[in-house]
Amino acid sequence: GGPARADAPAAAPVQLPPRRPALVGRDAELARLEDILRRCDPAPPVVVLTGIGGVGKTALALGWLYGRLDAFPDAVLYARLSADIADPASTALHGFLRALGVPGREIPPSPHQRAALFRGLTADLRFAILIEDAARSEDVSALLPGSTAAFVLVTARTQLVRLLADGAEEISVDPLEDAPASQVLAFYARRDGLGPAAERLLAACGGLPLALAVTGSRLRHRPCRAPEREVRRIDAQPKGIAAMADALDSSYAALDEFAARAYRACGFLPGPHLDRAALSHTLQRLPGFTDDDLDDLVDAHLLRDVDDDTVDQHDAVRRHARALAEQVDDQRDRDRLLDRYTRWYRDRTVAASTLIHPHRPGFAAATAGIFADRDAALAWWTRDLPVINAVADDAADRGRHEELWQIAEASWGYFLYHRDYPPFLRLFTAGLRAARACGEPVAEARMLHQIGFVHRKLGNVEEAVAHDEAAAVIGEREQHALTLATAASRAAWAAEAHGDPERALDLYEDSAEKHAHADRPRGVGLARLRRGNLLITLGRDPEALTELAAAAEIMVEQDDPAQHAEVLVALAGIFERQGDDRSARDHLARARENVEPLRSPHFQNTVDDALAALDRRTAEACGEAARQEIR
């Protein structure tokens, strides 16, 4: 009936499981643990290692603790809070007390009494505790000691928010980078080299040490197996590597209905990241509720925050989520979600295009108020360009032709300012097929002109001419004024390319007249600019000045700073050739002022190149003058 006592164990207990091999790529995390250990806090440090299953939380914890046993001479205790135990904290306390020498008959039955006894026995000890697989903050709190010389290390697949609010430190354990991942794979495979398949094996394992260890071990125990065959085996598994799938299944099982649905959707919605607003629209769930669902997934390390508006998913997790979606959700339901997601991106590309490049009328109606201004639209497009392309690819695969050609048509403005030719050529080509499938001839002609322009800039003259001529045929058949006006301009360029400048001048004049007839003054200005550039090439500067002056006036009236800058660059060339470097430099400086707010790499480079060329020629002229003076 007396108070419980502890019989001193023969040696300080160290309950840790065996140390894991191949701990690499964790220098930053180990340094953080060392820094926390050196602090002198009034409460014992509590550190939570969080990350998805298989990322190496336990290996990190064991590696650090085994290396610092001298800092904990009185004990190193261990507990795994198994979910299949009714009261895991109480069970863990029983194990701690027994390890510290308390006879089993003297351990109280009440969890609160066990916790009090544990704190009393360890009040003056220098020891550490490793708590694995914690799912609830209260379970960890019940195991916390009172000794300021104690150190508590916790591994968890979810953020233990309440524990963090009480002062615990969190260290997020992320997948390994390629270099340390290669080391882990090679360590377990025991092979000198894995050949061309190594990169694909690393991609399949996704930097997760558990997957790397399993894959490497399979190769070590099957020395005759080619790495390429192991890649094919992994690819054939819907959820990827079995050990990883088991860990992710456990995390998924803890989700509520809505977070689980969001998780599955994230697995098959296209693109490298996901916009929170897009997910809310797609799942037809209020934004606040969607944020709660996504936060649950982030806490469970099944999603990662990219910024306030977007999340992304590790490749191995995404594969698991997609497999679950195919298993749980009907194909029609998945298609409905994809359709809503595609339309959301279509609506935003159209709305953004009207702000980024408002000078060409689009075919799809734009929704007002989506973006505050041009800068916001441009920032969104720059961030989501990979997603827009992925959505377009998915729309092509699923035959969503209307949304696809509208996305491709709306992408023209962003393309003009950035000029990344190959991916946009692919998008415009897909848009052409989609417009044809929808029976939209005018949209088809526009796609043809966009493709022709890209081929022209890539130097593919015959491809450019063929596409432009096909658009001209449609313009004639449909009697579409703007298509005919653009076709005349493209025919003029073709005449230039084929060495017939006089015909090109006439066709540019024809294009100006057709644009004027269609009430498109900016098109008139573009035709004047192109005539002016051609006249410069022909050495007819006075005529060129007349055309360029007209073009400049129109571009100012139309509030098109990009094309006005193009005119100023052309005028600067004439002044420089006339020996008036001051006027040339003034025009280029004004052009630079025009393009700076546009945040356009293409137009900024155009002006900068012209300024650099002027500086170079000025320096060469000064050098030649100095040489003549010396002579």
Side-chain angles (χ1 to χ4, degrees), residues 430-454:
L432 172 62
R433 291 193 295 266
R436 284 174 177 164
C438 287
E440 294 281 354
V442 177
E444 179 185 349
R446 184 163 283 187
M447 291 297 102
L448 287 164
H449 275 147
Q450 291 180 189
I451 294 168
F453 182 90
V454 175

Side-chain angles (χ1 to χ4, degrees), residues 371-393:
F371 299 103
D373 52 29
R374 184 183 188 276
D375 284 347
L378 189 60
W380 172 82
W381 203 304
T382 301
R383 186 199 74 185
D384 273 28
L385 179 59
V387 184
I388 294 168
N389 288 334
V391 167
D393 288 342

Side-chain angles (χ1 to χ4, degrees), residues 594-610:
N594 275 7
V595 300
E596 278 181 352
L598 298 178
R599 294 162 56 194
S600 164
H602 169 72
F603 287 109
Q604 287 174 351
N605 289 340
T606 297
V607 178
D608 288 345
D609 288 348

Side-chain angles (χ1 to χ4, degrees), residues 118-384:
F118 173 64
R119 288 193 294 272
L121 289 174
T122 59
D124 298 320
L125 300 186
R126 294 169 61 199
F127 73 110
I129 307 174
L130 173 57
I131 302 170
E132 262 206 282
D133 287 343
R136 302 189 311 161
S137 295
E138 50 266 37
D139 288 336
V140 177
S141 297
L143 304 179
L144 297 182
S147 169
T148 58
F151 194 100
V152 181
L153 201 50
V154 184
T155 71
R157 294 179 186 177
T158 63
Q159 287 186 332
L160 303 179
V161 177
R162 185 171 165 186
L163 200 64
L164 298 177
D166 289 339
E169 302 259 4
E170 182 182 36
I171 298 178
S172 178
V173 183
D174 298 321
L176 294 171
E177 300 291 337
D178 283 349
S182 297
Q183 290 180 257
V184 174
L185 185 61
F187 173 85
Y188 283 99
R190 299 289 198 274
R191 296 195 186 184
D192 293 335
L194 298 173
E199 186 174 339
R200 291 184 62 196
L201 282 172
L202 289 176
C205 295
L208 299 172
L210 175 60
L212 293 162
V214 170
T215 301
S217 297
R218 285 180 60 85
L219 290 170
R220 183 175 77 246
H221 292 299
R222 296 165 177 80
C224 296
R225 171 166 291 188
E228 290 80 3
R229 183 179 172 190
E230 188 64 17
V231 171
R232 291 194 298 271
R233 189 193 71 81
I234 294 170
D235 288 343
Q237 305 300 314
K239 292 184 180 179
I241 298 167
M244 271 303 309
D246 291 343
L248 293 171
D249 281 342
S250 177
S251 296
Y252 174 75
L255 301 174
D256 67 23
E257 172 191 353
F258 297 105
R261 181 170 177 252
Y263 174 69
R264 297 193 303 272
C266 290
F268 63 84
L269 293 176
H273 63 255
L274 299 130
D275 187 292
R276 285 175 175 261
L279 283 169
S280 178
H281 172 84
T282 299
L283 296 169
Q284 294 189 314
R285 190 153 160 77
L286 291 173
F289 291 147
T290 301
D291 283 341
D292 290 342
D293 299 337
L294 299 182
D295 287 345
D296 287 346
L297 295 175
V298 171
D299 290 345
H301 292 273
L302 297 174
L303 280 182
R304 299 177 294 198
D305 277 322
V306 178
D307 54 37
D308 280 348
D309 299 322
T310 56
V311 293
D312 70 1
Q313 207 167 31
H314 186 275
D315 288 344
V317 179
R318 185 177 179 85
R319 179 172 184 162
H320 178 266
R322 184 170 61 249
L324 279 173
E326 292 171 354
Q327 174 185 330
V328 174
D329 300 312
D330 183 87
Q331 179 66 53
R332 289 172 297 180
D333 292 335
R334 299 202 303 274
D335 283 341
R336 278 193 287 270
L337 292 180
L338 284 165
D339 288 345
R340 284 199 288 269
Y341 195 70
T342 302
R343 288 193 291 269
W344 190 90
Y345 268 95
R346 185 272 315 275
D347 292 345
R348 270 148 187 78
T349 55
V350 172
S353 180
T354 62
L355 293 168
I356 294 171
H357 186 61
H359 308 292
R360 184 180 73 163
F363 292 144
T367 303
I370 291 179
F371 299 103
D373 52 29
R374 184 183 188 276
D375 284 347
L378 189 60
W380 172 82
W381 203 304
T382 301
R383 186 199 74 185
D384 273 28

